[in-house]
């Protein structure tokens, strides 16, 4: 045999052996033993006519039958084989889905004319290919033509849709206004939930809010015109009060969006929005507040109806039923993120599947025809989508939910894999910008996991678990293993308890969704009945919240994970290893059970111990392969650098400036595993990772210098998995932002306001507040310059050898506040200076001169568009011979003092 043919034959037999398609000798023995045992050993009666030796007596035919069965592995009874395989998935439309996805990505980044021409070329190629092969006699040639033509058609449809949508969005005067960066008076329809950004405005320093909207009408240069341009509004906190479906009027500036964005422009308003009626801008004398649209009124009524429940349930019931997460406590929200339950508080395919399944079950229980039941289910789904809001995410969830339900409903076998691929193409044709959205990717992966491996996982788990429990575990397990590689891109962490938390909440989710949706329907008609249903949903939702809080409080609930391509590859390898391990264990269990049954029925046909040993050896070979793969994964983990977050930081440090981007996040060691934390940066993830790497489990004092989002946005990262004893904020900083207040209250952390003279000792650290000074404005007042309300803190800590290390933490104070601080004569020389306001020019140089620091820490984001640090600040530091350490250049900065010598290093 040639070497190539021999290698292919070996590979084929190895693959079939792994999948248990080729019966082993002990399996053939099982078949022979069952055949020799006669009718009592097999549920199938013997054939009336024997093919070989039909005239021989039955007692003489049995050995012949046994030898024939041993030579014919295809006649092995089903009980002796590997577990029954799930229905083979249909992958014929996978190339079409991939082609449509690629076309959507390209179409969002090229001009509409180029999209149209490319779509025309692809369509022509597909038609020519089908026409050339239509008259062919060979069936395989026609099938190949169809296989190549379908991806071309899918790409052409998606590209044409992308070009048409972009042309419609920029057609007419609105396109000229966007291209010219004009200032317009626009009537906008809010299409998404407002979200507070963690990055403050570059000019005012105030918080910003992002709102997805569509310009329906606008006025520019004396011209009134209609439009349908999707834009992203970047406004102040006044835009947080808006809800999807409302119409507002605002004046602002348009700026063209980057290629690939789901909007055609960004809209920067110069004033708060004014609610209007639809079309009021184009109607002479129109205006005034319009009435709330129907779906919005239904959601508000439902949220109010759930207000009498417990706080956790009052927030979770609207979130789990209609996707309204505005009332969920901050602590519970963080706990659900740590346990992988965040998807429950957004309208997903699960909600739509439950609504469809409940209506179908109700209709079939009263013996309605299948078509009537399907129509009723479709009507219920459309009503649910109408109430929740027919935006792209909800429509996607409805389609994916219907496919997921079709994958698990009993009845005629369908092709859910093909349906999933077709749904991907249709959804991308409706909205090509879904291709780059994480939500769409996760929906497709979760549905694919259910379609491809949901049934298999349930079959494998059924070897050890009851059927209902096996199915309950299989669904979140398959979804988690499929979505894991993408989830680590969004949030680089390993949610250890995600699968058990989802398993425990699975039956509760059904109760909340069904009871809550029924309450939503009967609320206008029978309020008492709606109250009962809401109460039932509230009890289940309270249990969901309790499960999230309990699992989040367990040690290691969320472990750091490597970022980037390495983290994705590592998670994908672990997912594959998990599937293989489960499959191998299930096959081994099934094989051993078959041997035991066959041996007991065949009597003494062969020694049972030998059979079990052969089965054990075969399973041991599979497990050995898995153990080798696990060892390779462990070696990869050991090779990950310290900065990736898997290994605790072993560097000596007293003060650390965390690399949190454009913001401040500083840590001062107070004791082993304890620290004083000053500010939290704009994002919880980098701050949490920094504290985790430093092995900080207790925060003795958390200081928020002032209430700008780049200093408090990462508060959840400080609180996550740690005990925080107390928090301190500026007495002159105005009211505490609601997000901070909710997070601290949810974690049980007391917050105090401080001014000049406040001091204390925390572990080995002495600290004193130098600014702001009394008399103070009322707590509700906001100072003219919020930066000047920053807490200025003098810190003295013990270095590695016990020598004292002093530092001055200046927050974001600017030149005026710095002059007043210096005039009070309380500023002494220090070793380390945290440069004010990320090195901005308005910080001045007086503090740099007076502090006489040896090292200056500049906490600043790489490539920021603020121009930080300013050249004038760097020149002042150079003039006074101060070493400069910058987080944008050196990454995380470690500072220590040993034998009177100041030492520092960066992580880059």
């Amino acid at each position: 045999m040639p070497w190539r043919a021999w290698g292919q034959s070996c590979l084929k037999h190895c693959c079939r052996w792994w999948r248990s398609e080729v019966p082993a000798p002990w399996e053939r023995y099982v078949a022979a033993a069952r055949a020799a045992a006669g009718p009592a050993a097999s549920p199938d009666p013997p054939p009336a006519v024997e093919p070989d030796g039909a005239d021989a007596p039955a007692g003489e035919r049995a050995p012949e039958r046994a030898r024939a069965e041993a030579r014919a592995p295809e006649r092995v009874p089903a009980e002796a084989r590997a577990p029954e395989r799930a229905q083979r998935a249909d992958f014929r439309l996978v190339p079409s889905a991939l082609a449509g996805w690629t076309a959507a990505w390209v179409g969002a980044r090229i001009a509409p004319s180029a999209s149209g021409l490319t779509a025309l070329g692809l369509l022509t190629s597909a038609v020519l290919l089908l026409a050339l092969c239509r008259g062919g006699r060979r069936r395989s040639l026609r099938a190949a033509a169809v296989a190549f033509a379908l991806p071309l058609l899918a790409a052409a449809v998606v590209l044409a849709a992308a070009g048409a949508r972009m042309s419609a969005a920029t057609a007419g005067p609105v396109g000229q206004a966007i291209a010219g960066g004009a200032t317009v008076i626009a009537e906008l329809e809010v299409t998404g939930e407002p979200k507070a950004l963690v990055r403050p405005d570059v000019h005012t320093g105030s918080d910003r809010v992002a709102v997805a909207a569509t310009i329906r009408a606008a006025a520019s240069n004396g011209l009134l015109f209609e439009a349908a341009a999707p834009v992203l509004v970047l406004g102040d906190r006044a835009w947080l009060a808006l809800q999807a479906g409302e119409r507002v009027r605002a004046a602002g500036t348009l700026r063209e969006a980057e290629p690939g964005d789901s909007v055609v422009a960004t809209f920067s308003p110069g004033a708060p929005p004014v609610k209007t009626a639809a079309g009021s801008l184009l109607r002479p004398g129109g205006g005034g507040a319009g009435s709330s649209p129907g779906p919005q009124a239904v959601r508000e009524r439902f949220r109010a109806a759930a207000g009498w429940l417990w706080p956790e349930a009052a927030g979770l019931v609207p979130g789990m039923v209609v996707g309204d997460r505005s009332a969920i406590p901050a602590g519970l929200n963080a706990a659900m993120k740590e346990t992988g339950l965040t998807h429950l508080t957004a309208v997903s395919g699960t909600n739509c599947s439950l609504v469809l399944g409940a209506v179908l079950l109700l209709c079939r229980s009263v013996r309605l025809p299948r078509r009537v039941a399907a129509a009723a289910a479709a009507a219920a789904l459309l009503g649910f989508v109408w109430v929740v809001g027919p935006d792209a995410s909800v429509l996607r969830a409805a389609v994916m939910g219907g496919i997921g339900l079709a994958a698990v409903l009993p009845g005629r076998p369908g092709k859910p894999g093909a349906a999933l691929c077709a749904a991907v193409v249709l959804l991308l044709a409706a909205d090509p910008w879904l291709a780059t959205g994480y939500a769409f990717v996760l929906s497709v992966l979760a549905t694919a996991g259910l379609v491809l491996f949901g049934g298999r996982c349930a079959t494998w788990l059924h070897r050890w678990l009851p059927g209902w429990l096996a199915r309950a575990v299989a669904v979140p397990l398959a979804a988690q293993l499929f979505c894991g590689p993408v989830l680590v891109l969004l949030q680089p962490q390993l949610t250890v308890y995600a699968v058990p938390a989802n398993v425990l909440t699975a039956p509760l989710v059904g109760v909340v969704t069904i009871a809550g949706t029924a309450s939503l329907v009967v609320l206008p008609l029978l309020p008492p009945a709606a109250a009962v249903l809401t109460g039932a949903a509230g009890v289940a939702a309270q249990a969901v919240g309790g499960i999230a809080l309990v699992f989040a409080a367990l040690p290691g609930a969320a472990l750091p994970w490597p970022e980037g391509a390495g983290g994705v590859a590592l998670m994908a390898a672990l997912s594959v290893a998990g599937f293989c391990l489960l499959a191998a264990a299930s096959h081994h269990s099934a094989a051993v059970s078959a041997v035991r049954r066959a041996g007991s029925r065949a009597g003494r046909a062969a020694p049972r111990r030998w059979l079990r040993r052969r089965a054990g050896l075969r399973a041991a070979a599979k497990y050995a392969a898995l153990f080798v793969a696990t060892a390779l994964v462990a070696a990869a983990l050991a090779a990950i650098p310290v900065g990736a977050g898997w290994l605790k930081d072993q560097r000596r440090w007293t003060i650390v400036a965390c690399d949190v981007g454009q913001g401040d996040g500083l840590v001062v060691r107070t004791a082993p595993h304890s620290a004083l934390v000053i500010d939290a940066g704009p994002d919880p993830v980098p701050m949490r990772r920094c504290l985790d790497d430093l092995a900080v489990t207790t925060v003795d004092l958390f200081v928020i210098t002032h209430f700008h989002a780049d200093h408090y946005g990462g508060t959840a990262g400080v609180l996550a998995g740690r005990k925080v004893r107390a928090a301190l904020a500026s007495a002159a900083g105005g009211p505490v932002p609601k997000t901070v207040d909710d997070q601290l209250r949810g974690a049980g952390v007391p917050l105090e306001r401080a001014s000049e003279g406040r001091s204390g000792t925390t572990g080995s650290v002495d600290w004193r507040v130098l600014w702001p000074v009394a008399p103070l404005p009322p707590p509700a007042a906001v100072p003219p310059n919020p930066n000047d309300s920053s807490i200025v803190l003098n810190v003295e800590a013990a270095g590695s050898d016990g020598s004292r290390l002093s530092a001055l933490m200046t927050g974001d104070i600017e030149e005026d506040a710095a002059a007043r601080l210096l005039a009070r004569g309380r500023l002494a020389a220090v070793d380390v200076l945290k440069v004010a306001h990320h090195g901005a020019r308005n910080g001045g140089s007086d503090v740099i001169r007076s502090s006489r620091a040896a090292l200056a820490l500049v906490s600043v984001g790489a490539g920021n568009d603020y121009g930080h640090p300013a050249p004038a600040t760097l020149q002042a530091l150079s003039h006074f011979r101060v070493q400069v350490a910058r987080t944008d250049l050196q990454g995380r900065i470690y500072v220590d003092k040993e034998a009177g010598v100041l030492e520092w290093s960066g992580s880059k």
Side-chain angles (χ1 to χ4, degrees):
M1 179 185 295
W3 285 103
R4 182 176 181 182
W6 180 83
Q8 291 176 350
S9 177
C10 291
L11 181 61
K12 178 180 178 180
H13 280 78
C14 288
C15 293
R16 294 180 64 191
W17 168 80
W18 179 268
R19 299 195 305 264
S20 300
E21 290 181 356
V22 176
W26 61 269
E27 287 178 322
R28 290 197 292 270
Y29 162 75
V30 171
R34 291 174 62 83
S42 176
D44 298 327
V49 178
E50 294 290 341
D52 295 323
D55 297 336
E60 297 178 5
R61 290 199 304 267
E64 286 293 331
R65 185 187 306 164
R67 286 192 292 271
E69 292 288 344
R71 291 192 302 267
E74 67 275 3
R75 296 184 63 183
V76 175
E79 294 84 357
R81 299 176 191 170
E84 183 180 356
R85 292 170 171 270
Q87 180 186 356
R88 185 178 299 275
D90 190 348
F91 295 103
R92 289 176 295 178
L93 291 183
V94 170
S96 300
L98 295 177
W101 212 314
T102 305
W105 189 89
V106 173
R109 286 163 173 79
I110 61 178
S113 58
S115 296
L117 291 175
T118 307
L120 182 60
L122 293 174
L123 180 61
T124 303
S125 301
V127 172
L128 289 176
L129 183 62
L130 292 175
L132 290 175
C133 299
R134 181 180 180 182
R137 296 182 178 180
R138 298 183 60 182
R139 184 177 180 182
S140 59
L141 184 62
R142 295 196 301 271
V146 173
F148 279 100
L150 284 179
L152 296 178
L153 290 173
V157 170
V158 175
L159 273 174
R165 179 169 175 175
M166 185 64 73
S167 297
T170 57
V174 70
Q176 301 174 3
I178 293 172
T183 299
V184 299
I185 300 175
E187 180 184 308
L188 303 112
E189 180 183 356
V190 179
T191 57
E193 180 183 356
K195 298 179 181 179
L197 301 179
V198 297
R199 188 174 181 180
D201 187 80
V202 62
H203 301 295
T204 65
S206 60
D207 296 338
R208 295 192 298 175
V209 174
V211 187
T214 300
I215 296 179
R216 295 302 183 186
S220 177
N221 296 327
L223 177 65
L224 287 172
F225 54 87
E226 294 183 348
V231 296
L232 181 67
V233 181
L234 298 176
D236 55 18
R237 298 189 68 84
W239 291 79
L240 272 177
L242 300 180
Q243 296 184 2
E246 290 184 328
R247 295 261 185 158
V248 297
R249 179 192 301 174
T253 304
L254 291 171
R255 187 175 64 179
E256 192 171 5
E258 297 293 331
D261 287 350
S262 59
V263 296
V264 296
T266 58
F267 182 75
S268 300
V274 178
K275 295 183 181 181
T276 65
S280 62
L281 188 64
L282 299 176
R283 291 200 305 265
S291 60
S292 299
Q296 180 186 341
V298 173
R299 292 194 299 269
E300 291 178 351
R301 190 186 306 118
F302 182 64
R303 185 172 62 249
W308 62 274
L309 300 171
W310 301 278
E312 292 79 8
L316 282 177
V317 169
M320 296 176 68
V321 176
V322 296
D324 186 353
R325 293 170 287 183
S326 59
I328 299 177
L332 178 59
N333 196 23
M336 298 191 74
K337 289 182 179 179
E338 298 292 337
T339 53
L341 297 176
T342 310
H343 63 94
L344 300 182
T345 59
V347 176
S348 63
T350 303
N351 301 74
C352 299
S353 298
L354 288 171
V355 171
L356 280 172
V359 176
L360 284 174
L361 181 62
L362 179 63
C363 293
R364 297 298 289 172
S365 63
V366 295
R367 301 185 180 278
L368 289 178
R370 186 180 298 273
R371 293 183 179 180
V372 176
L381 184 61
L382 289 176
F384 181 75
V385 171
W386 177 80
V387 171
V388 175
D391 57 9
S393 62
V394 177
L395 294 176
R396 180 196 68 244
V399 174
M400 295 302 176
I403 295 172
L405 185 65
V408 297
L409 275 179
R412 296 182 58 187
K415 296 181 179 180
L420 173 62
C421 296
V424 168
V425 175
L426 293 177
L427 287 170
L428 290 175
D431 186 1
W433 284 266
L434 287 175
T436 56
Y438 280 106
F440 181 70
V441 175
L442 291 173
S443 294
V444 173
L445 288 177
T447 310
L450 178 62
V451 169
L452 296 178
F453 284 98
R456 286 180 172 86
C457 286
T459 302
W460 297 336
L461 292 171
H462 188 43
R463 302 295 177 186
W464 310 282
L465 302 175
W468 63 271
L469 185 56
R471 289 187 292 272
V473 175
V475 172
L477 180 61
Q480 183 73 19
L481 292 177
F482 263 67
C483 296
V486 178
L487 288 174
V488 296
L489 286 176
L490 279 173
Q491 196 169 7
Q493 68 178 23
L494 177 64
T495 51
V496 177
Y497 307 116
V499 171
N502 277 277
V503 169
L504 291 177
T505 57
L508 300 172
V509 171
V511 174
V512 175
T513 303
I514 300 303
T517 305
S519 172
L520 189 67
V521 173
V522 303
L523 182 60
L525 305 175
L526 297 171
V532 174
L533 293 170
T534 303
V539 172
Q542 187 71 14
V544 170
I547 292 171
L549 293 172
V550 168
F551 277 105
L554 294 178
L559 298 178
W561 193 263
E563 298 183 40
V568 173
L570 182 59
M571 182 60 74
L574 289 180
S575 298
V576 172
F579 275 121
C580 293
L581 182 61
L582 183 61
S586 175
H587 280 266
H588 171 54
S589 176
V592 172
S593 299
V595 168
R596 289 175 178 173
R597 290 195 302 268
S600 63
R601 292 173 180 174
R604 293 292 181 266
R608 249 185 259 175
R609 183 177 302 175
W610 177 81
L611 293 173
R612 294 175 185 175
R613 186 180 304 155
R614 294 298 300 269
L617 289 174
R618 188 180 182 195
K622 293 183 178 181
Y623 283 118
L626 290 175
F627 290 154
V628 171
T630 305
L632 294 176
V633 171
L637 286 175
I640 296 174
V642 172
W646 267 87
L647 301 177
K648 298 302 181 184
D649 212 318
Q650 301 298 323
R651 305 193 194 196
R652 291 183 292 114
W653 62 276
T654 302
I655 299 175
V656 171
C658 299
D659 185 8
V660 295
Q662 185 65 19
D664 280 0
L666 297 109
V667 185
V668 183
R669 186 197 295 271
T670 59
H673 308 295
S674 299
L676 182 154
V677 177
I678 304 170
D679 289 328
D683 186 4
V685 175
M687 196 66 203
R688 188 200 66 238
R689 188 183 305 118
C690 180
L691 292 174
D692 287 344
D693 291 350
L694 298 174
V696 174
T697 58
T698 302
V699 176
D700 294 315
L701 183 64
F702 175 35
V703 180
I704 302 176
T705 57
H706 63 295
F707 294 128
H708 273 172
D710 57 336
H711 292 256
Y712 71 77
T715 298
V718 177
L719 302 176
R722 268 168 286 278
K723 181 179 180 180
V724 180
R725 301 184 186 277
L728 201 67
S730 173
V736 181
K738 186 178 185 301
T739 55
V740 176
D741 187 56
D742 290 343
Q743 289 170 350
L744 295 179
R745 288 179 184 273
V749 180
L751 175 64
E752 299 182 14
R753 311 298 286 266
S755 61
E756 180 195 27
R758 179 72 179 272
S759 62
T761 299
T762 305
S764 61
V765 175
D766 298 325
W767 54 269
R768 177 179 293 274
V769 178
L770 305 181
W771 187 265
V773 299
L776 298 172
V782 178
N785 187 352
N787 286 337
D788 285 340
S789 67
S790 298
I791 286 181
V792 177
L793 203 66
N794 184 274
V795 175
E796 287 193 5
S800 296
D801 61 350
S803 57
R804 304 301 289 177
L805 173 61
S806 59
L808 182 67
M809 309 298 183
T810 57
D812 278 0
I813 62 166
E814 299 184 6
E815 200 164 3
D816 293 341
R820 294 173 58 192
L821 171 63
L822 294 174
R824 302 185 68 82
R826 297 183 179 272
L827 191 62
V830 294
D831 297 313
V832 179
L833 169 68
K834 203 291 296 185
V835 179
H837 203 186
H838 322 291
R841 183 185 183 91
N842 55 21
S845 61
D846 292 339
V847 174
I848 297 174
R849 171 180 52 80
S850 302
S851 64
R852 291 177 285 177
L855 175 66
L857 300 177
V858 182
S859 184
V860 62
N864 69 89
D865 53 6
Y866 300 129
H868 296 164
T873 302
L874 296 177
Q875 292 174 4
L877 292 168
S878 176
H879 176 74
F880 293 110
R881 299 181 180 180
V882 183
Q883 284 186 292
V884 179
R886 298 167 48 175
T887 56
D888 61 335
L889 300 180
Q890 282 83 32
R892 190 182 301 164
I893 301 169
Y894 308 82
V895 184
D896 194 16
K897 194 172 187 180
E898 187 174 9
V901 178
L902 188 68
E903 301 176 350
W904 72 274
S905 63
S907 61
K908 292 184 179 180

